[in-house]
Amino acid sequence: MDRVTQLQDALEQLFLIMRNSLLYLTEKTPLNQVSSKVPLWKSRKDKADPPETFIENQKELVRDLMEKAKRIEVLIDSLPPPDLSEDQNERLLKLDTDMRAANEEYRQALERAKSLHKEVSETLRFLLLSGQNGAS
């Protein structure tokens, strides 16, 4: 598997870890009333983890995220640098020139084809009309 594919897979795994972390944190957080003016209208006693478990799981989520981020950083560092050497620039310029010349040839051929189509159509029309006049 090439490095770019490995990087793509690692990023997908990182996003999955982030998604699962957010899901865990939103579902397992114990809801605490922070102000007597704001009532606690929902309880998560059945879903919330005990505080010690919740803190340990938070630390594990952070470790997983950091580990995956470090792996991604190593993969990025192992990618080859962009190589825009003088030779490559010359090849790209030559390709651009060749492409423009080919497009111009195509336009000329298209105009020639249109001209020939018109000429053939006029000839056929003339033959058709002269054939009708001669048959009458």
Side-chain angles (χ1 to χ4, degrees), residues 12-25:
E12 287 176 6
Q13 290 171 1
L14 178 68
F15 295 146
L16 183 63
I17 291 170
M18 292 171 70
R19 177 197 166 274
N20 290 339
S21 297
L22 290 171
L23 188 64
Y24 173 80
L25 292 172

Side-chain angles (χ1 to χ4, degrees), residues 17 20-22 24-25 56-66:
I17 291 170
N20 290 339
S21 297
L22 290 171
Y24 173 80
L25 292 172
E56 283 302 314
N57 287 340
Q58 282 179 326
K59 290 178 182 178
E60 183 179 345
L61 292 172
V62 169
R63 278 192 303 270
D64 290 346
L65 281 169
M66 293 303 296

Side-chain angles (χ1 to χ4, degrees), residues 50-99:
E52 305 82 30
T53 305
F54 186 72
I55 290 171
E56 283 302 314
N57 287 340
Q58 282 179 326
K59 290 178 182 178
E60 183 179 345
L61 292 172
V62 169
R63 278 192 303 270
D64 290 346
L65 281 169
M66 293 303 296
E67 180 182 316
K68 185 54 70 177
K70 286 177 184 176
R71 285 185 191 163
I72 289 171
E73 191 173 348
V74 168
L75 283 171
I76 290 172
D77 289 341
S78 72
L79 290 172
D83 182 26
L84 292 176
S85 64
E86 188 64 34
D87 182 46
Q88 190 175 17
N89 284 335
E90 289 174 13
R91 285 187 318 174
L92 289 173
L93 289 172
K94 184 181 180 327
L95 284 173
D96 184 57
T97 303
D98 292 347
M99 182 183 68

